[in-house]
């Protein structure tokens, strides 16, 4: 028997970091990149083949805190304490690691879906999301929960931590360009640094978080009203706030500036910051111009994506 499952990448449109402190954020799936997991029976034991990393591990050898071991263990438990199958679990991903596109989350999501399918089950999105969230704690320390939510649901999500998760419609699709700095930036470090800064200066950071929350609410309103072309100033302002939080970098600021100078409607870092990716809102006719400017400014890769309700 062979089963396959996949999960998309994601980007944070607005509200990153502030979402950890109870403000809303918007995340959207990026289907142009994805993680795929295939499970095929073998005659020995459960093996994990991470093809992109050129690794082959026995499930029995993985530490309980290893993200792959943890998500498999959690899923088998949710399947009624199922025994690890005699099978090879192969992971293929086109999502760059530690770049803000949800690589680890997508892999975990695809593993949950593939294992459930292997055992003849079909977990719904909330179940998948809750299982993956437990592994997000390993990746990020104090995760907001937005990554596992948007990737498990595969829809644009308006998210308030510990309060609400709402998918919402995009009546008029819009186009983003995603540019990668090429700098790996584990979210856990940036999240921890923001927490330290918040503890040292509550007043400043609460004000920054409040403004980010206002931007997220305004952005949702524009998107649902069919006015995504007006998002640009909100995104650029969100980048300014993230700079004030200390999570941007010279490389990200350079790419944001290059996109804006090339007539992008707005631009910002996306995700944890300190590297990883930035996004730019563009009109269709400016895609080539913005793409060229980003590559000339040092982007290692550039990807265009259309945001819609699917």
């Amino acid at each position: 028997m062979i089963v396959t499952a996949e999960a998309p990448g994601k980007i944070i449109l607005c509200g990153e970091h502030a979402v950890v402190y109870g403000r809303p954020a918007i995340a959207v799936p990026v289907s142009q990149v994805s993680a795929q997991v295939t499970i095929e029976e073998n005659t020995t034991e459960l093996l994990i083949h991470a093809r992109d990393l050129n690794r082959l591990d026995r499930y029995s050898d993985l530490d309980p805190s290893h993200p792959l071991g943890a998500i498999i263990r959690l899923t088998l438990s949710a399947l009624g304490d199922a025994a690890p199958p005699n099978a090879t679990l192969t992971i293929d991903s086109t999502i760059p690691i530690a770049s803000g596109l949800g690589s680890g989350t997508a892999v975990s999501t695809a593993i949950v879906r593939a294992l459930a399918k292997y055992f003849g089950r079909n977990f719904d999105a909330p179940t998948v999301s809750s299982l993956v969230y437990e592994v997000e704690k390993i990746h990020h320390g104090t995760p907001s929960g937005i990554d596992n939510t948007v990737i498990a649901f595969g829809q644009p999500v308006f998210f308030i931590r510990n309060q609400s998760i709402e998918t919402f419609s995009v009546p008029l699709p819009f186009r983003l360009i995603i540019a990668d700095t090429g700098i790996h930036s584990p979210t856990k470090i940036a999240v921890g640094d923001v927490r330290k800064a918040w503890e040292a200066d509550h007043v400043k950071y609460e004000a920054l978080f409040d403004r980010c929350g206002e931007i997220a609410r305004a952005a949702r309103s524009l998107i649902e009203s069919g006015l995504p072309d007006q998002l640009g100033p909100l995104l650029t302002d969100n980048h300014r706030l993230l700079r004030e939080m200390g999570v941007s970098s010279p490389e990200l600021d350079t790419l944001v500036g290059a996109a804006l100078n090339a007539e992008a409607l707005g631009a910002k870092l996306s995700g944890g910051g300190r590297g990883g990716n930035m996004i730019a809102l563009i009109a269709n006719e400016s895609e080539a111009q913005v793409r060229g400017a980003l590559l000339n400014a040092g982007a290692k890769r550039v990807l265009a994506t259309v945001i819609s309700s699917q």
Side-chain angles (χ1 to χ4, degrees), residues 181-205:
T181 63
I183 299 170
H184 287 190
S185 178
T187 301
K188 188 173 185 177
I189 295 173
V191 168
D193 286 348
V194 170
R195 180 163 294 278
K196 291 174 187 175
W198 170 73
E199 289 170 347
D201 193 342
H202 269 70
V203 173
K204 174 184 175 180
Y205 277 79

Side-chain angles (χ1 to χ4, degrees), residues 282-306:
I282 58 167
N284 289 342
E285 61 271 16
S286 65
E287 180 177 335
Q289 183 174 321
V290 176
R291 179 188 293 271
L294 289 167
L295 290 169
N296 288 337
K300 304 307 179 188
R301 75 188 81 196
V302 177
L303 168 71
T305 186
V306 176

Side-chain angles (χ1 to χ4, degrees), residues 46-61:
L46 180 56
L47 304 174
I48 298 98
H49 183 196
R51 191 139 45 187
D52 303 325
L53 301 178
N54 196 28
R55 286 194 57 169
L56 182 66
D57 295 291
R58 295 183 178 89
Y59 169 65
S60 58
D61 290 342

